Amino acid sequence: MAAKEMVWNFEVQGIPYRVELKKNAISVNGAEPVKLNKLAKKSSLTETHYSMMIEGKEAILHVRQFGAVVLSYDGRDCATGEEYIPAKMPGWAWVFIVLHAIDFFFLIGGAIGGILQVFIVINISFRGPADTVHSEMTAFVHWLQQTAKINGFLHFADENRCPLSADQVPGCSIACCRL
């Protein structure tokens, strides 16, 4: 995790708590900071959880893979007071991860690009519903274009369309786009 500095102020049974995160260490109410690697840790593809107890209930520091850090106590986000909803990768992202894995293991040539694209897809999947459709299609078109190039394709065609005004392959009587 990158060294971020964050502060959360919240109350438990009328008692104020101040939790500070500085340089990968966390402290509660000004106590001696504890390094994150000393806390109970649970990791998933989308985030890492660091657990500690405050007043007999679990406080969890959620560190998402691409930046966001959230502290929850008793299932509630300490910054907003709302219920904490863990990061969940949408189902459509798995389709692209599988496609990238196929590209990586079977088509070779795209190994480094495939690994980078998997991380890009995961990052895009956490932006939220507003950007999802556009990002999803952009990622798919990019993957398709790169995979086609790697496998020696020079262009793709749509026999149901007329020739294009831009990027048309010369001499092609249907819609033919260069890769």
Side-chain angles (χ1 to χ4, degrees):
M1 181 185 124
K4 289 188 170 203
E5 291 190 17
M6 301 190 72
V7 176
W8 294 272
N9 292 299
F10 60 98
E11 286 187 11
V12 176
Q13 300 173 358
I15 302 169
Y17 283 88
R18 179 180 177 89
V19 177
E20 297 180 67
L21 173 66
K22 290 183 181 177
K23 298 183 180 178
N24 296 328
I26 195 162
S27 69
V28 179
N29 288 343
E32 184 71 28
V34 175
K35 294 277 187 189
L36 292 180
N37 62 5
K38 301 287 183 194
L39 298 175
K41 178 181 173 182
K42 185 172 114 182
S43 294
S44 69
L45 186 60
T46 57
E47 63 184 33
T48 302
H49 302 169
Y50 297 94
S51 300
M52 61 187 156
M53 300 301 286
I54 298 177
E55 290 294 323
K57 293 188 180 174
E58 188 175 40
I60 303 173
L61 184 68
H62 306 268
V63 182
R64 292 191 176 165
Q65 298 300 4
F66 294 98
V69 178
V70 176
L71 179 68
S72 70
Y73 178 76
D74 196 24
R76 304 200 83 59
D77 184 328
C78 292
T80 65
E82 297 174 0
E83 180 183 357
Y84 177 74
I85 300 170
K88 181 181 173 191
M89 192 167 1
W92 63 261
W94 287 105
V95 172
F96 293 104
I97 290 171
V98 168
L99 291 173
H100 294 310
I102 290 169
D103 180 34
F104 179 81
F105 291 110
F106 298 109
L107 303 177
I108 308 302
I112 293 173
I115 291 170
L116 292 174
Q117 290 171 19
V118 166
F119 287 109
I120 290 168
V121 167
I122 292 170
N123 190 20
I124 288 170
S125 71
F126 290 116
R127 286 195 201 156
D131 294 328
T132 300
V133 173
H134 181 265
S135 298
E136 177 181 336
M137 294 315 303
T138 301
F140 177 72
V141 169
H142 179 72
W143 174 84
L144 184 62
Q145 184 180 29
Q146 294 303 314
T147 301
K149 280 183 180 180
I150 288 167
N151 289 292
F153 291 91
L154 302 175
H155 65 275
F156 64 92
D158 183 350
E159 60 188 25
N160 298 320
R161 305 258 177 176
C162 298
L164 304 169
S165 58
D167 254 355
Q168 177 70 21
V169 174
C172 190
S173 61
I174 58 174
C176 299
C177 293
R178 296 178 200 273
L179 294 175

